[in-house]
Amino acid sequence: MNKVYPDAQSALAGIVQDGQTIAVGGFGLCGIPEALIAALRDSGVKNLTAISNNAGVDGFGLGQLLETRQIKKMISSYVGENKEFARQFLANELELEFTPQGTLAEKLRAGGAGIPAFFTKTGYGTIVAEGKETREFNGEHYVMEHALFPDVSLVKAYMADRAGNLVFRKTARNFNPNVAMAGKVCIVEVEKLVEIGEIDPDHVHLASIFVHRIVHNPAPEKRIEQRTVRAN
């Protein structure tokens, strides 16, 4: 099976549809699949539920899909860098399932492992736990959280071989592996594409069984989310 596609548009073709739940990897703007997000915007699909650690920034990342009103609901843990997100949410134009960051990571990991739900202390006694089952274990209170099973996962990796074995780089390893595992279909954008056998098996971060399509993007923009400087 040839998993490598010539561009992001063709990799999404026949996969993305209106009303889907789409998980997107990355931590802030670090490790986001830039080309795939832009292609998703250009595809025109709408009424999406987007699962992501963040909502991008105005004009970049998932912020592009918010501007085009293609996202109807966000499942996120951090949304503070996007003014358009705030405007839509405060105007009741956008649904939000606000999820603690560790819980979001575990919901995705559980989905990838085939675990339907789990119990966590995080959020007990707060609005996060409203409407959810709670239990006591060994004198401690826990909230039951359901796993996430997105229709499509869009992922960024540093390197892949043509089979789809992935290597992530530094901060980009946050969320991307869990997002990749959880999706029914996983499309990955990579900076470096090598032949099968060129990656040491001990260096593989995610096995090819989770990857369905690959796009080579050797020169992503890698925009900085917040540039902070100090006086000399």
Side-chain angles (χ1 to χ4, degrees), residues 121-153:
K121 289 183 181 180
T122 305
Y124 179 82
T126 73
I127 60 173
V128 170
E130 289 182 1
K132 298 176 182 176
E133 180 181 342
T134 60
R135 287 194 195 178
E136 183 178 334
F137 297 94
N138 300 319
E140 300 285 348
H141 295 281
Y142 294 78
V143 180
M144 188 174 76
E145 296 282 0
H146 289 267
L148 292 169
F149 301 95
D151 298 303
V152 181
S153 290

Side-chain angles (χ1 to χ4, degrees), residues 16-21 43-48:
V16 296
Q17 301 175 22
D18 292 350
Q20 286 181 323
T21 297
S43 73
V45 294
K46 55 187 183 297
N47 295 323
L48 300 174

